[in-house]
Amino acid sequence: INNFQNEKITIFNYSKQFFLTFDKYKKFVDYCNEFLKNKQNRSVYVFGASYNTQFLLSFGLNIAKIDGIIDNCSDKHGHFLYGYDLKIFSPDVLSSSDSCVILKNGYYSDEIRDQLLKINSTLTIL
């Protein structure tokens, strides 16, 4: 006996949300690139050695202005972001420098921001 015979199935169309998300990423990358034009002597890192960073780079984040990737996973430290020549560092690298961190990490952005500002309260976070 199939208990699902009379069950109604609803299919949602998420294409509008999908393209809105793309637009948000593109606008964020454009904003970051404008900031990076005038970075002066500060070091610039992207937080997260993951698909989010690869997504930002694929949307045109100026890789030439990025000094590396910051990640909490110690297993990744000293390695490179897959597909890129960007070395991965511990967040501790931020402790004694005039640095900027590009942070686009979804659910945990607030917690990551708090963590980074505890390491260096003068940090610029985009």
Side-chain angles (χ1 to χ4, degrees):
I1 297 176
N2 185 349
N3 293 331
F4 300 107
Q5 273 183 331
N6 295 325
E7 192 171 312
K8 189 175 184 179
I9 297 173
T10 305
I11 298 174
F12 296 99
N13 183 347
Y14 289 105
S15 64
K16 183 177 178 181
Q17 186 62 37
F18 178 77
F19 289 109
L20 285 172
T21 300
F22 265 54
D23 190 48
K24 286 179 185 179
Y25 267 87
K26 181 63 178 143
K27 286 179 181 176
F28 182 72
V29 165
D30 291 344
Y31 169 76
C32 291
N33 283 338
E34 277 302 311
F35 178 87
L36 292 173
K37 285 181 184 178
N38 302 311
K39 81 171 199 160
Q40 298 161 351
N41 289 330
R42 66 175 62 180
S43 299
V44 178
Y45 299 93
V46 181
F47 188 90
S50 68
Y51 73 92
N52 264 339
T53 297
Q54 290 173 322
F55 206 52
L56 292 173
L57 293 167
S58 72
F59 268 94
L61 185 62
N62 189 344
I63 194 169
K65 301 281 187 169
I66 307 297
D67 295 295
I69 308 295
I70 301 294
D71 201 282
N72 285 324
C73 179
S74 60
D75 291 340
K76 296 179 182 181
H77 300 163
H79 297 280
F80 292 85
L81 182 68
Y82 182 78
Y84 295 92
D85 191 24
L86 290 169
K87 195 168 187 177
I88 303 166
F89 299 93
S90 163
D92 294 333
V93 75
L94 303 170
S95 65
S96 63
S97 64
D98 182 19
S99 300
C100 171
V101 175
I102 297 170
L103 174 60
K104 185 79 168 162
N105 202 276
Y107 298 112
Y108 299 105
S109 291
D110 291 338
E111 291 87 346
I112 294 167
R113 179 183 312 278
D114 292 344
Q115 171 201 354
L116 297 178
L117 288 172
K118 285 179 184 173
I119 294 169
N120 182 342
S121 63
T122 64
L123 194 62
T124 300
I125 300 176
L126 301 179

